[in-house]
Amino acid sequence: MNLNIKANKNNTFDAIVVGSGMSGGFAAKELTERGLKVLMIERGHEIKHVEDYDTAMKEPWEFEHRGKTTNISAEERWANSRFPGLGSEEVVNHLTNDKENPYIEKRAFDWIRAYHTGGKSMHWGRQSYRWGKHDFEANAKEGIGIDWPIRYEDLEPWYTHVEKFVGISGQKEGLEVLPDGHFLPAMPLFAPEVHFKNKMMERFNRPVTVGRVANLTQPQDIHTALGRASCQYRSKCQRGCPYGAYYSSLSGSIPAAMRTNRLSILHDSIVSEIIYDEQKKRATGVRIINQNNMQTEEYFAKIIFLNAGSINTAALMLNSKSNRFQNGFGNDSDQVGRNLMDHQLGSGASATVDGFEDDYVFGQRPNAMYIPRFRNWGDDKQTSYLRGFGYQGGASREGWERGISADGFGDDFKQNLTKPGPWNIRIGGFGEILPDPNNRIYLDPNKKDKWGIPMIVTDAAFVENDWAMRKDIVASAVEMLETAGFKNVTSYDRPTHMGLGIHDMGTARMGRDPKTSVLNAFNQVHDCKNVFVTDGAAMTSASCVNPSITYMALTARAADFAVKSLKKKEL
Amino acid sequence: MNRREVIKNVALMLGGTFSASSLMAMNHWEQSTSPNKAGAVFILTDIQQKMVAEIAEIIIPKTETPGAKDVGVPAFIEMMLKDCYKEPDQESFMEGLASLEKVKFLSLNSDERKGVLKFLEQETKKMKSKSTPFWRLIKELTLLGYFTSEAGLKASFQYVQIPGKLELIKLKPNQKSYAY
Ligand SMILES: Cc1cc2nc3c(=O)[nH]c(=O)nc-3n(C[C@H](O)[C@H](O)[C@H](O)COP(=O)(O)OP(=O)(O)OC[C@H]3O[C@@H](n4cnc5c(N)ncnc54)[C@H](O)[C@@H]3O)c2cc1C
Ligand code: SF4
């Protein structure tokens, strides 16, 4: 996967892609497949697909701390370990060392990062939902933020394009609130979930479906051609999949781009600035700093795709100052870094399920149950907040862990814990957060990181709408579990900050008006059209569904547009 | 000493308040029984190690399958407390051991030991403190150490390395859990 940069004397390519994560991988694939020579620049170290998934095949007892977070990890990964499970020794070394890559929390922000090949696409939960028509229209209808410059119909064919390549297992439901996509066979719901689903339809007219997830239940030629195989149902995806059975840049887009022989990848290279040519009035390339030896270098291209992840993309733009862009690259509107959004996560309810004692499952389902948004939808009108939320969750039989809080010890206790325990069920909300210009990141005017790049400051928090919704996420979860007849219904509401929803976005939003937005309808920077931003930064609103396939669809659409424009000599 | 007496003694030892939590709080001020001072490395004495091993073995005894001691749970507990737990929990663990030392846990017979632990389990439920109570710590670490050890896991569950499929099935009588 390495390349020979020196062979390219001028360091010049057709396109540069900054970042190798979910969106950067897709940009590289689309651009190379359309004939462009692409340089992908990744700030983190190289991870080789399969080979470097060092924990993937470890047995449970081979983890010294049996998967727990050590004090050392908690200190080094002080932000990453705020997300449940990411401090675990199964995955922690693949997440960014926050101590070495600190940021400043003016207001606390749980920033989850993975600086390496594939970025967070290696660690994502793979839940993949199309946005609905309403998601693109809500801002305009409600007078929130600014209007999207595109509609569902603009993205529709690109969703299909992405879904075919990624491979998403799911059930068609024919719902307007959650449009169907191009699906591989769905995974099953478990018996108590089917009971729950039926009850919810009967009592509330609320549909419940199985999660739509980027794991191959039935690989197609487009997948096997890249060496991707069927899911083996171990549900240890976050360690990296030795079968390439879930989608990541590592298993999908990067190999696809490499296959064209037009992709070069540069690792350990932090893009610190976009180079702007005042005469040509275009960006000509980027400047990098090698993270290990501090050497700087410049690379050039006709077009540049920024895919460093919402916050880093905004930071890179803010740090790229020129005569033309004294306030940061493409930042005439002063919107770069603002409108930072995320999703609400960390509240809901759980319950125990009586019955279903004979029902059990062989294999581990790397997926969940999904309850699409039902608030402020159809006849439902909430007075205390706008928009809505969806739930993810599911039922499982308790394992030996139930013994920790149960009374007893000794022979029978030990024996009993070897059998599956009762079922329990849990649902947690993902809620939409509204864009707010005061929720933002910016660069500290004085403090710099060890590479001399200004440090990022997070300054964002939930606002009234978010808190009101959060209350309802908890209350509705309790109501639904109780209505289903489950017992010991217990609500939970983790103290949380923005960021924990792991869907940071919005920091260079799309819009129609250059005065209030950063990007146009094809993700071009309004005032410098050969630069495209197609990661989460582009988002004008947040929806309540997981965002990554939308980032990929926007990326594919923009890449197609960019190459066509290049061919027409319009760029 | 029969079980009732043991419990009575433990209760007396707890300062007449019948509360383990108050004992633990008291121990905070008792230098001699609070060996893990701020910043100190978490290390157990031989006697403490022996107590941990005995308690772990009472929680998960050797039966026709291995017990906690067989699979190295005692050393695991100490290592985990050192590597993965913060000072308040480490202190809470030490205080728990100290109070058991006071009732001469190691010189009690097997029934008496179980009686003390049953008492401790009930008392723990009433405790309200920021740190994790001793009983909870030793129980969760014993179970974790045992059920995820190679011998403990394989003896307890049906270990499936690579399921290869996802199937809804019916449980057979006495079927063990799958572990992955
Ligand atoms: C635990 C977890 C679970 C998730 N679950 C889901 C889910 O179920 N569904 C869903 O849709 N989404 C999920 N997400 C979110 C998903 O991972 C992100 O939306 C997605 O990865 C974002 O893609 P990206 O390309 O913008 O950023 P990333 O994937 O983070 O990639 C950015 C890349 O850019 C690199 N980079 C950053 N700065 C620079 C720079 N200056 N120079 C060079 N390179 C740079 C980074 O090292 C990184 O490799 C989850 C995330 C996490 C952490
Ligand atoms: S559950 Fe499937 S995708 Fe996940 S690691 Fe296992 S085989 Fe790979």
Side-chain angles (χ1 to χ4, degrees), chain A residues 350-467:
Chain A
S350 62
T352 53
V353 178
D354 285 350
F356 305 99
E357 286 104 353
D358 293 348
D359 289 295
Y360 198 36
V361 182
F362 179 82
Q364 302 208 86
R365 185 181 65 186
N367 191 12
M369 171 180 83
Y370 191 74
I371 307 168
R373 170 175 165 184
F374 51 83
R375 285 304 189 212
N376 292 315
W377 182 257
D379 294 337
D380 185 88
K381 289 273 172 302
Q382 295 298 307
T383 48
S384 61
Y385 65 89
L386 297 170
R387 315 281 165 104
F389 52 87
Y391 288 109
Q392 287 169 29
S396 59
R397 291 198 78 146
E398 290 174 8
W400 59 262
E401 296 86 348
R402 69 186 183 276
I404 296 172
S405 53
D407 270 3
F409 47 80
D411 297 12
D412 291 349
F413 176 78
K414 173 187 174 195
Q415 175 66 17
N416 181 32
L417 292 181
T418 64
K419 312 244 168 63
W423 285 93
N424 60 27
I425 189 162
R426 166 181 289 255
I427 56 176
F430 273 93
E432 177 163 1
I433 286 180
L434 300 177
D436 180 336
N438 296 320
N439 280 340
R440 60 187 292 217
I441 65 109
Y442 56 88
L443 301 180
D444 190 278
N446 306 310
K447 294 202 185 91
K448 300 203 161 146
D449 66 17
K450 68 176 179 195
W451 300 282
I453 302 170
M455 282 177 73
I456 293 170
V457 183
T458 62
D459 185 10
F462 294 145
V463 296
E464 220 173 301
N465 197 74
D466 311 320
W467 290 119

Side-chain angles (χ1 to χ4, degrees), chain A residues 56 126 187 214-216 228-247 364-367, chain B residues 162-164:
Chain A
R126 309 162 308 284
M187 293 178 193
N215 292 62
L216 298 178
R228 300 184 59 200
S230 184
C231 183
Q232 303 297 306
Y233 303 99
R234 306 166 70 225
S235 202
K236 301 184 194 292
C237 311
Q238 287 193 332
R239 302 183 192 172
C241 180
Y243 312 97
Y246 76 85
Y247 179 83
Q364 302 208 86
R365 185 181 65 186
N367 191 12
Chain B
I162 300 164

Side-chain angles (χ1 to χ4, degrees), chain B residues 68-83:
Chain B
K69 284 194 207 165
D70 292 331
V71 304
V73 166
F76 173 79
I77 292 176
E78 187 172 351
M79 180 276 292
M80 287 295 286
L81 280 161
K82 184 153 95 21
D83 289 1

Side-chain angles (χ1 to χ4, degrees), chain A residues 33 165 222 225-226 254-262:
Chain A
E33 286 180 347
F165 181 73
I222 194 172
L226 292 169
I254 294 175
M258 287 311 273
R259 184 168 65 173
T260 66
N261 288 322
R262 286 187 281 270

